[in-house]
Amino acid sequence: MVFGFTAYVLWGLFPLYWPLLKPAGALEILAHRIMWSLVAVVAILAVRRNWAWIRSLTPRKLGVLTVAAVVITANWGTYIYAVNTGHTIEAALGYFINPLISVLLGVVIFRERLRPWQWTAVGLSVAAVVVLTADYGRLPWIALVLAFSFGTYGLFKKFANMPSAESLAVETTVLLVPALGFALALQARGDAAFGHEGAGNMALLAAGGIVTAIPLMLFNAAAVRIPLSTIGMLQYLAPVLQFLIGLLVQHEEMPPSRWAGFLLVWAALIILTTDGVRAGRRTRREARIVAEPVPESA
């Protein structure tokens, strides 16, 4: 529980970290996050002396992780852009919507059948998007990109079936060449912040790798020790903290129409979570009944 709680709290506090890296732009921050994440995760694997997994890396698994790397790059870049341009609340909305996107992916990819209350939750989330589109005067694209990219990333990680450190090592290795090329191009044009804004800025950009790796390690430690239902409850900590930071620290606007959209999303999540808990209890009860020995007749 401590591992999981700490991981989601750290993810929830990310909106306080990325603005510290200015005047670096979102793409430069993203490039350095990729490069220094690789350094951090290789160091972690070296300490563990864990390299045997490389032999099990098949072409199929490498292909799946390559797609996952591209998807998480879109997620990271959009998130950094959001919090550094005053859209932290919309970013939080994306992670509130994410469980609903996972439900939809289950229908589309795995042909799962939704229960009536799940359909109700999906309907409320669609209504929320309509309300927020009217409020923003545009689709809440930041939230939608974050929700769909993270949901898709989780799907490909499920297909790859590798621990977090090992899979992150593969993903950041795949992304290293374009990230390094972009960082070098910025340096050549004289547009880079790294190396030109003082030692503090350089240290913060480099620390982005540790900031990325540590929550992932904590999450992995929690995921193998506590029930998935508990992880599902803990996941709401991050967007709640992001929302509060956007509202109370960064003082982003929340007009009544935007509150209405968020309330619809929160209602959908309450319905989805309650239905999931009930379904889980029912499944466990049925499993116990099946497992009970049948008494012999006299």
Side-chain angles (χ1 to χ4, degrees), residues 139-293:
L139 273 174
W141 68 268
I142 290 174
L144 293 174
V145 168
L146 289 174
F148 277 98
S149 61
F150 199 73
T152 305
Y153 177 68
L155 182 68
F156 280 102
K157 294 278 276 189
K158 181 180 178 67
F159 290 151
N161 192 26
M162 283 183 67
S164 57
E166 290 82 346
S167 60
L168 183 61
V170 175
E171 292 159 29
T172 48
T173 299
V174 168
L175 298 169
L176 177 62
V177 171
L180 180 60
F182 180 79
L184 292 175
L186 282 181
Q187 291 287 348
R189 295 205 312 259
D191 295 332
F194 188 80
H196 302 281
E197 297 295 332
N201 181 263
M202 291 176 63
L204 287 170
L205 281 166
I210 299 173
V211 167
T212 299
I214 287 178
L216 280 172
M217 301 301 101
L218 291 169
F219 173 79
N220 186 64
V224 299
R225 288 173 170 84
I226 61 178
L228 190 61
S229 59
T230 306
I231 290 288
M233 296 295 183
L234 287 174
Q235 72 176 322
Y236 297 122
L237 276 173
V240 165
L241 287 172
Q242 293 163 11
F243 177 84
L244 291 175
I245 289 170
L247 183 66
L248 302 177
V249 178
Q250 299 172 343
H251 305 292
E252 295 183 18
E253 292 184 5
M254 277 294 288
S257 54
R258 200 165 300 171
W259 278 109
F262 270 82
L263 287 171
L264 285 170
V265 169
W266 293 334
L269 290 175
I270 290 171
I271 290 171
L272 189 69
T273 303
T274 303
D275 179 73
V277 170
R278 287 176 176 171
R281 288 175 179 171
R282 185 165 56 249
T283 300
R284 288 191 296 271
R285 186 166 56 249
E286 290 172 353
R288 284 197 300 269
I289 293 172
V290 171
E292 288 178 358

Side-chain angles (χ1 to χ4, degrees), residues 39-98:
V39 173
V41 76
V42 167
I44 290 169
L45 292 172
V47 170
R48 293 179 177 177
R49 297 181 180 178
N50 181 15
W51 304 108
W53 59 272
I54 296 177
R55 291 194 294 270
S56 66
L57 194 61
T58 63
R60 176 189 173 278
K61 191 169 289 189
L62 180 60
V64 169
L65 288 174
T66 298
V67 177
V70 173
V71 172
I72 200 59
T73 299
N75 181 274
W76 285 359
T78 303
Y79 186 80
I80 294 168
Y81 167 81
V83 299
N84 281 6
T85 56
H87 295 89
T88 299
I89 289 178
E90 189 177 347
L93 175 65
Y95 291 106
F96 279 125
I97 293 175
N98 182 65

Side-chain angles (χ1 to χ4, degrees), residues 93-116:
L93 175 65
Y95 291 106
F96 279 125
I97 293 175
N98 182 65
L100 297 159
I101 299 301
S102 297
V103 169
L104 289 177
L105 288 174
V107 173
V108 174
I109 305 298
F110 298 111
R111 306 298 182 187
E112 296 175 358
R113 297 184 63 182
L114 296 188
R115 296 182 294 273

